[in-house]
């Protein structure tokens, strides 16, 4: 069941209706929990068992470590949670990857061994909910939070359907307290939530799937040498596609939650207006970048143990962040490039420092465009199915090989350039602004006109209900 389907529309309408009926708060939470299991079971019912397992283990481990008297016992219960969660993630997501690379390593040593076929289906959203449940146990272990008083509340925290499959990755201190007292959305909250749902569907169905995906698919699916312009256009199209696809999901999730009376954190803040890569990761997939910072980078030592250790910690964090996205070396390279960017940026900041010239608007725009261009080089490895495709794209983009024949027709070229240009303009305009505050400043008639236009474009877009890109992670 995806947000961009009529099935979800009917499902969500029923959930909202039940939530607004005069049931007790406990009954309403039980309805939401049951609805969340139904939502997840729509993909593959047996995998609901994994949700139950994560819920039971982390509920038990957090309570036991909170009650434990010795530090070794506390650490032991924390490790049970981490090992179970990462074990499930490793088995389902990385089992085949490990076997393939083990076979390749043996082959390089002259040992012939055929890895068994890995036919395990990847549970949708497993990377998201394992990190979310681990954050609960780790926060209790680090004494940042206390164990939940209610198993019902904790189960709903793990499985809350708007953000279950593709985030944002919510911290227990952000969501659990919201389940403690009755919540019914006010009319302004319902209206704003519905507007966000429409905006998210517009981003996904009209921009990502309708305008940009065909260009990206054609370019990355080509087997011939590409012209530099086509390689750049395909990569630019994917940069817009993945943002509108993922930010669209998050926007719908926030909107659905708001209609039910709950608040989720923002996951994107105009990332393509970032000036530098530290700024980019403060704006892109914020819930993951902050998770990696708090539970990986800082425990590794952060920037507290010398320059060399800081660079090593950055690289380790970003390499594992790349691997989190997918069981392929292309994702590792994607993360490694971002780690390298962050290290180089840190070196330049230490040696060059702050120049007054960087405060000029034209310098800031130039640095933002440079950041965006370098981010696009990393997107090649994120999107490419293999290194041959990635190298063919990079060779054309960096003018190492310019002999490719033109691939794209006039319409996809114009559509991509206009869409990406508009997206960058919006990101720069909204760089330091909040959407809700800006909408409140606009006349209601104009807001209604734009809202209606988005709904019309959604309705006429020929969409097959494609799944969101981050469902595979």
């Amino acid at each position: 069941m995806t947000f961009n389907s009529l099935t979800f529309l009917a499902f969500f309408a029923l959930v909202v209706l039940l939530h607004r009926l005069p049931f007790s708060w406990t009954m309403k939470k039980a309805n939401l929990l049951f609805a969340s299991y139904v939502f997840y079971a729509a993909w593959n019912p047996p995998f609901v068992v994994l949700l139950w397992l994560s819920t039971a283990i982390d509920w038990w481990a957090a309570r036991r470590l909170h009650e434990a008297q010795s530090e070794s016992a506390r650490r032991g219960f924390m490790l049970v949670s981490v090992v179970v969660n990462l074990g499930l993630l490793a088995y389902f997501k990385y089992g085949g990857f490990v076997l393939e690379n083990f076979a390749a390593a043996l082959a390089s040593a002259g040992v012939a061994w055929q890895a068994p076929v890995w036919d395990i289906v990847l549970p949708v959203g497993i990377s998201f909910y394992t990190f979310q449940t681990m954050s609960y146990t780790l926060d209790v272990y680090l004494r940042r939070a206390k164990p939940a008083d209610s198993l019902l509340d904790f189960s709903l925290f793990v499985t809350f359907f708007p953000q279950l499959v593709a985030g944002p990755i919510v911290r227990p201190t952000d969501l659990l307290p919201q389940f403690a007292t009755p919540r019914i959305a006010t009319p302004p909250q319902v209206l704003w939530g519905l507007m966000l749902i429409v905006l998210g569907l517009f981003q996904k169905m009209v921009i990502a799937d309708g305008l940009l995906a065909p260009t990206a698919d054609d370019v990355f699916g080509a087997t011939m040498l590409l012209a530099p312009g086509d390689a750049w256009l395909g990569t630019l199209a994917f940069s817009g596609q993945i943002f509108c696809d993922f930010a669209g999901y998050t926007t719908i999730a926030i909107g659905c939650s708001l209609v039910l009376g709950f608040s989720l954190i923002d996951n994107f803040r105009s990332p393509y207006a970032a000036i530098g890569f530290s700024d980019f990761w403060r704006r892109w997939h914020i819930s993951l970048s902050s998770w990696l910072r708090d539970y990986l980078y800082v425990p590794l030592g952060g920037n507290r143990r010398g320059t060399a250790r800081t660079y090593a910690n950055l690289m380790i964090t970003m390499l594992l962040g790349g691997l989190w996205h997918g069981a392929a070396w292309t994702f590792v390279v994607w993360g490694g490039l971002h780690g390298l960017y962050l290290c180089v940026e840190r070196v330049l900041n230490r040696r060059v420092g702050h120049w007054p010239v960087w405060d000029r608007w034209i310098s800031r725009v130039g640095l933002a465009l440079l950041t965006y261009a370098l981010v696009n080089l990393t997107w090649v490895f994120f999107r490419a199915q293999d290194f041959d495709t990635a190298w063919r794209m990079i060779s054309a983009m960096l003018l190492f090989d310019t002999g490719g024949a033109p691939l794209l027709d006039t319409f996809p070229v114009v559509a991509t350039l206009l869409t990406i240009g508009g997206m960058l303009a919006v990101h720069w305009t909204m760089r330091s602004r909040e959407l809700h505050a800006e909408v409140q400043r606009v006349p209601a008639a104009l807001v209604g006109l734009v809202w209606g236009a988005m709904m019309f474009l959604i309705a006429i877009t020929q969409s097959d209900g494609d799944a969101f890109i981050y469902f595979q992670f």
Side-chain angles (χ1 to χ4, degrees), residues 95-367:
F97 178 69
V98 171
L99 286 176
E100 290 174 6
N101 283 277
F102 182 66
L106 289 178
S108 65
V111 178
W113 181 74
Q114 181 67 42
V117 177
W118 193 258
D119 289 329
I120 304 298
V121 177
L122 179 67
V124 65
I126 189 171
S127 296
F128 287 91
Y129 69 73
T130 51
F131 270 32
Q132 183 156 313
T133 56
M134 273 200 304
S135 71
Y136 168 77
T137 310
L138 291 171
D139 277 359
V140 174
Y141 174 73
L142 296 169
R143 295 188 171 91
R144 296 171 181 166
K146 294 182 178 180
D149 295 325
S150 166
L151 178 58
L152 174 60
D153 287 4
F154 177 67
S155 300
L156 187 55
F157 161 75
V158 174
T159 61
F160 189 48
F161 74 88
Q163 49 79 224
L164 171 61
V165 175
I169 303 170
V170 182
R171 304 291 178 88
T173 51
D174 292 329
L175 191 55
L176 273 172
Q178 299 186 52
F179 298 143
T181 55
R183 285 177 175 263
I184 296 293
T186 63
Q189 286 177 318
V190 172
L191 180 61
W192 181 239
L194 292 175
M195 292 178 68
L196 289 177
I197 292 171
V198 171
L199 174 60
L201 289 172
F202 176 78
Q203 288 177 291
K204 164 64 176 172
M205 298 173 65
V206 178
I207 302 179
D209 291 349
L211 292 174
L212 298 176
T215 301
D217 291 344
D218 286 346
V219 171
F220 280 92
T223 57
M224 60 185 182
L225 183 64
L226 293 164
D230 287 341
W232 271 105
L233 281 168
T235 305
L236 290 172
F238 179 70
S239 75
Q241 179 195 1
I242 194 168
F243 168 76
C244 290
D245 188 287
F246 194 14
Y249 179 95
T250 300
T251 303
I252 298 170
I254 294 172
C256 290
S257 300
L258 199 58
V259 171
L260 293 168
F262 303 101
S263 175
L264 297 180
I265 62 172
D266 288 335
N267 213 18
F268 296 91
R269 294 176 188 153
S270 304
Y272 290 149
I275 299 175
F277 300 97
S278 297
D279 191 28
F280 177 79
W281 281 102
R282 286 190 289 266
R283 297 171 177 274
W284 177 273
H285 204 345
I286 299 168
S287 63
L288 175 64
S289 60
S290 62
W291 198 101
L292 292 172
R293 178 197 65 206
D294 294 344
Y295 300 110
L296 183 58
Y297 177 70
V298 171
L300 284 173
N303 56 3
R304 306 184 307 275
R305 299 185 179 180
T307 302
R309 183 67 177 269
T310 297
Y311 296 147
N313 292 341
L314 281 172
M315 288 300 300
I316 291 170
T317 300
M318 296 312 299
L319 287 169
L320 291 176
L323 191 60
W324 176 90
H325 282 82
W329 288 111
T330 50
F331 289 108
V332 177
V333 171
W334 173 79
L337 284 173
H338 274 284
L340 180 62
Y341 290 164
L342 290 167
C343 291
V344 170
E345 179 183 76
R346 196 174 186 87
V347 170
L348 292 176
N349 284 334
R350 287 169 62 90
R351 295 192 176 183
V352 176
H354 178 75
W355 288 358
V357 69
W358 300 130
D359 292 331
R360 298 177 183 175
W361 73 268
I362 192 167
S363 300
R364 293 169 64 82
V365 171
L367 288 173

Side-chain angles (χ1 to χ4, degrees), residues 377-405:
L377 293 178
T378 72
W379 283 136
V380 172
F381 293 93
F382 194 98
R383 175 60 177 82
Q385 294 296 314
D386 51 55
F387 282 110
D388 288 341
T389 302
W391 180 246
R392 189 164 56 247
M393 293 283 295
I394 293 292
S395 296
M397 293 169 70
L398 299 182
L399 305 181
F400 296 158
D401 199 331
T402 60

Side-chain angles (χ1 to χ4, degrees), residues 270 273-275 279 283 364 426-433:
S270 304
I275 299 175
D279 191 28
R283 297 171 177 274
R364 293 169 64 82
V426 169
H427 280 219
W428 188 257
T429 302
M430 297 299 297
R431 188 178 189 277
S432 302
R433 302 179 183 182

